[in-house]
Amino acid sequence: MSESTSPYKRILLKLSGEALMGEGKYGIHPPTLTRIAEEIAELSRAGIELAVVIGGGNIFRGVAGATEGMDRASADYMGMLATCINSMAMQDALEKQGLKTRVQSAIKMEQIAEPYIRRRAVRHLEKGRVVIFAAGTGNPYFTTDTAASLRAMEINAQVILKATKVDGVYNADPKKDPTARRYRTLTYMDVLKQNLSVMDSTAISLCMDNKLPIIVFDLGTRGNIHRAVMGKQGEFGTVVGATETVWA
């Protein structure tokens, strides 16, 4: 893939923590981590500036902790630390692919990551480094989806790639409802009105206010990150931010 064939110069890739589990039920599956790193490396070598935000649900999910009686703020901070573990693992996997990377954390931890500084992050991207944003926004009550939207706008990314376990956005859970239909394109307002499981409402609202498109796609198949970057609107996954909602 050459730089000229991609419609995007700078992208933000949002990975869930669960994406790193592979077929496991907890933690990080090294072969899955390596596969994702290989796909990211392919894009980086093609000249695409790439930032990554990873969730922490494979290790600890703040909302789940809060539902079990834990203080919500404390649980969310624990979740932020989980994203730091995932970010360090991704950095290691990317560096094994020969890429220069930087982890920037919204919570200061100088021994393992840079503090998040917007201008420094942009400069890293301009130099061809992959930047991994860890610890969400650094604030409780905000998800890593919101962090992805916020960081994408701060670095002037052209699109958010939202990697999931399904091949787009459906009107129902396709694993439970055989009649579920996939959307080809969606407007921001339809996502909010129908309470579709794309990103949380804060993240969607941020993207809507700043006209930042989101491509939702399945991470499980090798090469899908490349296809998401290359695909035209509606031809792959689901594009959120279109002018109208269209079924696939």
Side-chain angles (χ1 to χ4, degrees), residues 103-141:
V103 175
Q104 289 199 343
S105 172
I107 298 175
K108 288 185 178 181
M109 42 185 73
E110 290 86 349
Q111 286 82 357
I112 63 172
E114 294 181 356
Y116 170 69
I117 300 173
R118 184 184 68 85
R119 290 182 182 275
R120 182 179 290 178
V122 171
R123 186 59 178 151
H124 287 323
L125 293 169
E126 291 172 346
K127 289 185 175 181
R129 298 165 183 157
V130 177
V131 181
I132 305 169
F133 297 121
T137 65
N139 301 288
Y141 300 97

Side-chain angles (χ1 to χ4, degrees), residues 33 40 60 68 87 93 105 109 128 141 182 189 204 225 234 242:
L33 185 67
I40 292 174
F60 186 86
E68 296 295 327
S87 296
S105 172
M109 42 185 73
Y141 300 97
R182 181 173 67 86
M189 286 306 300
I204 293 295
I225 298 177

